[in-house]
């Protein structure tokens, strides 16, 4: 008799997320502006959304300090604020000004007990030496970031090497830049001296983030405008040192831009995206899910905030998307489900009432999210069997 052959079970097919409308939870203190009216966001089953903080004029970037305090940059007011949740109810008890007089502030990072904030032209080092919750010491750490033209936000991150990485977008839609720090990510030494352009050809890499496990640098990128509703793709890059990602001559997978005088063979040498997405969605911040609150299938995945289109006949974006990761890289085996909607509804019946900017995994494992149109920070949390 022949021995029975062992059977191998095929891996379970990945299922698309099914989104249902969930009413945004507010309190008397957070029911402001567009959220005076009841509104809903579409989320997967078991997920809920509440307003974590409101009344933040043009709130942009989030940061989590080493002692688990949430910070936010409030670009409209030129401030950095802290958003403590002392009673752990998932809502910030207050928004306290940590530092002001920071015009156009966007990026935020932490190192050696100091808070670093990026304006258009500078990175400022802020310290709270007397521990009263307000920065009382301020030093200019970097003073040579490019200014003028378009794309005025500057995002910063400290790498595993202790050095500071600064992203500055292009000064234009498509052009030849004279300043090599534009459309690029630059690296500065631990004492704030410019070292080199780490990677170039990134038209507007607003979101930069080091992977919590591998230490690799990842970036979102906004493609050029005015060559069609669906061209070029929005992209996410696993950014490599010394790489050229093509702008202004190439986009997507080394596609030459026919509106430009592309040098022969140029695009063949450029870096390629790890993920491509619908054009004109304007991906900004990204967050790797490192928490334990969400179901296990989300562990290690990336959430990307889509700020939304302006250069498209039918608007797209205005949502949060999930990028499936496996072994700390995009899970290409997921096919069409590699990138999928996670939270939608800020664009409703042609009306744009909110624009997601930056997600951050909060201390409790929820996903915090800024919205610079509704001027709020949301908390998206998971609670099984709690309503729809």
């Amino acid at each position: 008799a022949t021995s029975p052959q062992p059977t191998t079970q095929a891996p379970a097919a990945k299922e698309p997320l099914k989104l249902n409308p969930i009413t945004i939870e507010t309190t008397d203190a957070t029911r402001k502006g567009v959220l005076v009216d009841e509104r809903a966001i579409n989320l997967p089953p078991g997920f809920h959304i509440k307003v974590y903080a409101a009344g933040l004029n043009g709130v942009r970037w989030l940061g989590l300090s080493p002692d688990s305090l949430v910070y936010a940059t409030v670009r409209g007011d030129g401030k950095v604020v802290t958003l403590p949740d002392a009673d752990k109810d998932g809502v910030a008890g207050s928004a306290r000004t940590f530092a002001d007089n920071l015009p156009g502030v966007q990026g935020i990072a932490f190192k050696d007990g100091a808070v670093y904030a990026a304006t258009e032209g500078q990175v400022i080092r802020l310290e709270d030496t007397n521990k009263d919750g307000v920065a009382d010491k301020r030093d200019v750490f970097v003073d040579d970031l490019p200014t003028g033209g378009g794309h005025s936000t500057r995002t910063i991150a400290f790498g595993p090497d202790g050095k500071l990485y600064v992203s500055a977008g292009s000064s234009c839609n498509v052009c030849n830049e004279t300043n090599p720090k534009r459309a690029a990510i630059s690296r500065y030494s631990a004492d704030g001296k410019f070292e080199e352009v780490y990677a170039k050809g990134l038209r507007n890499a607003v979101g930069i983030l080091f992977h919590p496990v591998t230490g690799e640098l990842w970036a979102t990128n906004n493609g050029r405008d005015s060559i069609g509703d669906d061209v070029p793709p929005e992209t996410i890059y696993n950014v490599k040192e010394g790489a050229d990602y093509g702008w202004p001559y190439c986009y997507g997978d080394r596609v030459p831009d026919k509106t430009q005088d592309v040098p022969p063979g140029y695009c063949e040498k450029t870096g390629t995206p790890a993920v491509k997405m619908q054009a004109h969605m304007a991906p900004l911040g990204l967050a790797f899910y490192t928490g334990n609150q969400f179901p296990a299938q989300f562990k290690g995945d990336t959430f990307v905030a889509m700020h939304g289109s302006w250069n498209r006949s039918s608007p797209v974006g205005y949502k949060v998307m999930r990028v499936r990761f496996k072994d700390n890289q995009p899970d290409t085996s997921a096919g069409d489900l590699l990138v999928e909607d996670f939270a939608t509804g800020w664009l409703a019946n042609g009306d744009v009432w909110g624009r997601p900017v930056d997600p951050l995994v909060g201390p409790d494992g929820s996903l915090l999210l800024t919205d610079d149109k509704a001027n709020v920070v949301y908390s998206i949390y998971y609670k099984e069997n709690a309503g729809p």
Side-chain angles (χ1 to χ4, degrees):
T2 57
S3 302
Q5 295 300 307
T7 57
T8 55
Q9 188 172 1
K14 293 182 174 66
E15 293 290 331
L17 296 176
K18 295 179 175 65
L19 308 186
N20 304 305
I22 301 295
T23 299
I24 299 173
E25 301 164 32
T26 57
T27 65
D28 290 342
T30 62
R31 202 171 296 116
K32 297 181 178 181
V34 294
L35 291 163
V36 167
D37 298 321
E38 186 176 285
R39 293 186 181 268
I41 292 298
N42 304 304
L43 292 164
F47 284 90
H48 303 265
I49 182 168
K50 64 174 70 170
V51 177
Y52 182 80
L56 301 171
N57 180 24
V59 62
R60 290 288 290 185
W61 230 247
L62 292 169
L64 189 65
S65 71
D67 58 354
S68 295
L69 180 59
V70 176
Y71 285 68
T73 60
V74 184
R75 197 159 187 250
D77 291 335
K79 288 181 178 181
V80 173
V81 300
T82 55
L83 300 171
D85 175 17
D87 59 5
K88 304 287 191 290
D89 65 349
V91 177
S94 62
R96 185 169 190 195
T97 299
F98 179 76
D100 57 11
N101 194 26
L102 296 164
V105 66
Q106 155 92 0
I108 187 167
F110 305 89
K111 187 171 184 284
D112 299 337
V115 179
Y116 293 76
T119 64
E120 183 179 4
Q122 297 181 322
V123 178
I124 311 294
R125 187 175 188 269
L126 303 162
E127 284 185 272
D128 173 15
T129 62
N130 62 2
K131 306 300 179 193
D132 67 348
V134 179
D136 51 69
K137 189 174 180 211
R138 174 188 301 231
D139 301 294
V140 177
F141 185 69
V142 169
D143 197 26
D144 62 355
L145 302 183
T147 59
H151 297 148
S152 60
T153 62
R154 306 287 174 256
T155 315
I156 56 176
F158 281 101
D161 55 6
K163 297 180 180 183
L164 183 70
Y165 293 72
V166 184
S167 175
S170 63
S171 65
C172 58
N173 178 30
V174 58
C175 64
N176 282 297
E177 299 284 6
T178 55
N179 188 330
K181 294 176 187 171
R182 297 219 72 138
I185 297 171
S186 297
R187 180 162 63 189
Y188 286 77
S189 68
D191 58 359
K193 301 288 189 293
F194 172 71
E195 287 190 346
E196 63 184 335
V197 171
Y198 183 79
K200 66 179 184 177
L202 293 161
R203 178 178 173 272
N204 194 23
V206 181
I208 61 171
L209 190 64
F210 285 93
H211 193 281
V213 176
T214 66
E216 294 176 316
L217 180 59
W218 289 80
T220 60
N221 187 51
N222 290 209
R224 64 155 297 180
D225 296 314
S226 306
I227 53 173
D229 273 0
D230 300 312
V231 182
E234 305 288 39
T235 45
I236 298 174
Y237 291 96
N238 184 343
V239 182
K240 304 299 183 185
E241 183 173 0
D244 178 350
Y245 291 99
W247 184 91
Y249 298 117
C250 331
Y251 56 75
D253 280 324
R254 300 174 170 168
V255 178
D257 186 334
K258 293 178 182 176
T259 71
Q260 303 301 299
D261 187 9
V262 182
Y266 189 95
C267 296
E268 296 162 24
K269 300 170 188 169
T270 56
T272 55
V275 178
K276 294 186 294 183
M277 301 168 291
Q278 165 67 47
H280 306 302
M281 289 196 297
L284 298 186
L286 70 166
F288 298 105
Y289 190 72
T290 54
N292 295 312
Q293 186 191 100
F294 289 9
Q297 64 157 306
F298 294 97
K299 194 80 168 183
D301 289 349
T302 304
F303 292 104
V304 185
M306 302 298 178
H307 201 225
S309 60
W310 66 270
N311 179 241
R312 197 171 189 277
S313 56
S314 298
V316 289
Y318 313 100
K319 59 186 175 182
V320 177
M321 301 192 80
R322 168 219 198 169
V323 182
R324 295 177 190 252
F325 266 56
K326 183 180 180 183
D327 300 326
N328 305 313
Q329 295 292 324
D331 184 2
T332 52
S333 72
D336 292 343
L337 296 180
L338 172 62
V339 184
E340 63 181 335
D341 289 352
F342 174 76
T344 68
W346 289 278
L347 168 64
N349 303 317
D351 171 43
V352 174
W353 63 266
R355 301 191 77 183
V357 178
D358 185 40
L360 175 81
V361 180
D364 64 352
S366 65
L367 190 72
L368 301 176
L369 176 70
T370 55
D371 177 341
D372 67 352
K373 184 172 173 68
N375 298 322
V376 302
V377 181
Y378 307 100
S379 170
I380 298 175
Y381 66 97
Y382 183 80
K383 193 170 182 182
E384 212 168 8
N385 302 323

